[in-house]
Amino acid sequence: MKKISLILVFLTAQLAQSQIQDFSEKGNGLINLERHQFTINLLGPGIRYELGLFKNVSVSTSFSPAFANYQEGYALGFAWHTRIRYYHNFQERLDINKNVVGNSANYIAPARSIFWEPVQFADNISDGNSNYAFAFYGGVYGIQRTNRKGFNINAEVGYGYFRGDGLDNGHGFMVNFTLGWVATKRKSTKPTFD
């Protein structure tokens, strides 16, 4: 599973490298991507910050509810998530006159999520151990949509390696869904064409 994570990071880096030429040609390179986006989660309290690096690539960190299921069992609760997102369909959305405001697009990302026992709603992996933690390392596919008033939906599903602290390691799935509001100013709602 570590090899898959490394491959995903490598592929994302290669995609990002191919976009560097556009970076120098068009200002800071963030044609459709928001430079800063701070989101307050309404469904299950939480927050997310996303920083646009260059064309179609951002990094994000968040604290929000998530569901993990691997060989040891499942956990549903809060987790700390970090992602390097590559948005692959900005131009396709613009071509059919769809909204791209607030990073409204689909993405792939190498991902890390950390779950701690004290902030879990339900689990079946503790076996009496009330002091466990585990981390997900893998890849996710996500969909993010932000409407013109700032309401945001982000959903992602991924598969990867789970490394346990007080639990056995394994592999399995992780799902993350948030409903929130983007508190930062968004780019113009009018589509910009290259």
Side-chain angles (χ1 to χ4, degrees):
M1 287 298 128
K2 288 182 182 179
K3 289 181 182 179
I4 292 172
S5 296
L6 290 173
I7 290 170
L8 286 172
V9 169
F10 176 76
L11 289 174
T12 303
Q14 290 300 316
L15 289 169
Q17 182 67 24
S18 69
Q19 303 298 326
I20 289 178
Q21 291 174 346
D22 288 337
F23 183 78
S24 62
E25 294 172 6
K26 299 187 180 185
N28 63 3
L30 303 177
I31 298 166
N32 301 309
L33 196 65
E34 303 289 344
R35 179 69 175 155
H36 301 280
Q37 183 165 292
F38 181 75
T39 306
I40 300 167
N41 296 335
L42 305 173
L43 178 67
I47 57 171
R48 178 176 64 246
Y49 176 71
E50 187 172 359
L51 173 66
L53 297 178
F54 39 86
K55 186 178 179 184
N56 298 359
V57 177
S58 72
V59 294
S60 67
T61 185
S62 65
F63 185 74
S64 64
F67 174 77
N69 185 21
Y70 76 113
Q71 289 124 325
E72 288 300 298
Y74 71 88
L76 172 64
F78 282 92
W80 175 39
H81 310 281
T82 54
R83 309 283 188 261
I84 302 172
R85 299 176 178 203
Y86 173 74
Y87 290 94
H88 66 83
N89 69 334
F90 276 134
Q91 192 58 50
E92 290 86 354
R93 289 181 59 80
L94 287 170
D95 289 345
I96 58 174
N97 208 21
K98 295 262 186 165
N99 178 28
V100 296
V101 172
N103 300 340
S104 293
N106 301 0
Y107 61 90
I108 57 172
R112 181 192 73 165
S113 297
I114 301 175
F115 294 78
W116 296 279
E117 187 276 332
V119 291
Q120 300 307 295
F121 306 132
D123 66 58
N124 69 348
I125 58 178
S126 64
D127 289 336
N129 181 2
S130 63
N131 192 21
Y132 71 82
F134 64 93
F136 167 85
Y137 299 95
V140 296
Y141 185 82
I143 297 171
Q144 178 168 248
R145 300 293 185 267
T146 305
N147 75 7
R148 298 181 194 293
K149 296 190 184 284
F151 289 101
N152 176 278
I153 294 174
N154 191 84
E156 58 187 21
V157 62
Y159 189 84
Y161 176 73
F162 286 90
R163 183 167 185 263
D165 181 13
L167 300 170
D168 290 335
N169 301 334
H171 57 89
F173 291 93
M174 192 210 53
V175 177
N176 182 17
F177 175 80
T178 60
L179 175 65
W181 179 71
V182 176
T184 49
K185 184 177 179 182
R186 292 163 303 285
K187 290 184 178 185
S188 171
T189 59
K190 295 178 183 175
T192 57
F193 295 98
D194 291 341

